[in-house]
Amino acid sequence: MMPAYDPNNIFAKILRGELPCHKVYEDDRAIAFLDIMPRAPGHTLVVPKCAARNLFDVDPDELAHAAKVAQKIAKASKAAFGADGVTIQQFNESAGGQVVFHLHIHVIPRKEGVAMKPPASEKEKPETLAANAQLLAAALKGA
Ligand code: 5GP
């Protein structure tokens, strides 16, 4: 059986404002912020505000809303980072590659011919994250 949702996971703490993040988007049902170990510049995580561990327990409407936000971010990352394409990833349970147990959708801007870095390879510099968050937030406002 799947473990219960843990309200002390790191993204729940970010949602409650107990930990900082480089936020690029927020509405009443979801937030999006940059991944601290990006697999490509502008790598963003879309996180629904509801308490959901992953795809198996999330309310379908909240999942659909998160997908809509991921689409907005994907479109804006073309303008913000000159992305030629975007990779969407979403992992469920350890066996599925999930590490943080609050549902999230990865939006990874891609350039032609440039491979993604391996997962969790290195922590990005805060100033780079801040600059990229600003670029993406500005592109989202213009969208
Ligand atoms: P997943 O659960 O999708 O396999 O991986 C979790 C993702 O969250 C990883 O890409 C990792 O780099 C990212 N991550 C882990 N801890 C933090 C954090 O404290 N802040 C942010 N912004 N991202 C995190």
Side-chain angles (χ1 to χ4, degrees):
M1 214 179 87
M2 192 170 85
Y5 177 80
D6 172 9
N8 286 321
N9 74 76
I10 205 145
F11 293 168
K13 289 182 179 173
I14 289 174
L15 280 167
R16 289 194 296 267
E18 294 165 13
L19 288 174
C21 70
H22 293 276
K23 186 167 75 177
V24 296
Y25 175 90
E26 183 167 13
D27 63 28
D28 56 334
R29 296 162 75 184
I31 187 170
F33 50 82
L34 294 191
D35 196 299
I36 43 163
M37 290 176 274
R39 302 191 63 183
H43 180 169
T44 300
L45 303 171
V46 178
V47 180
K49 290 185 174 177
C50 63
R53 182 173 164 90
N54 54 36
L55 201 62
F56 297 119
D57 63 340
V58 69
D59 177 289
D61 290 336
E62 298 306 322
L63 175 65
H65 181 75
K68 286 183 189 173
V69 175
Q71 184 186 32
K72 280 190 216 286
I73 306 282
K75 288 180 175 175
S77 40
K78 291 176 92 179
F81 305 112
D84 303 308
V86 167
T87 298
I88 301 290
Q89 293 185 319
Q90 196 278 311
F91 304 114
N92 302 284
E93 296 300 323
S94 302
Q98 186 173 15
V99 175
V100 177
F101 294 96
H102 183 115
L103 177 79
H104 53 280
I105 302 174
H106 296 256
V107 182
I108 308 173
R110 303 295 304 279
K111 295 261 201 193
E112 202 64 60
V114 180
M116 285 195 292
K117 286 189 199 168
S121 46
E122 66 184 299
K123 258 193 176 174
E124 186 53 274
K125 292 192 282 294
E127 56 269 31
T128 303
L129 291 174
N132 285 342
Q134 215 170 11
L135 278 176
L136 189 50
L140 279 161
K141 280 197 186 112

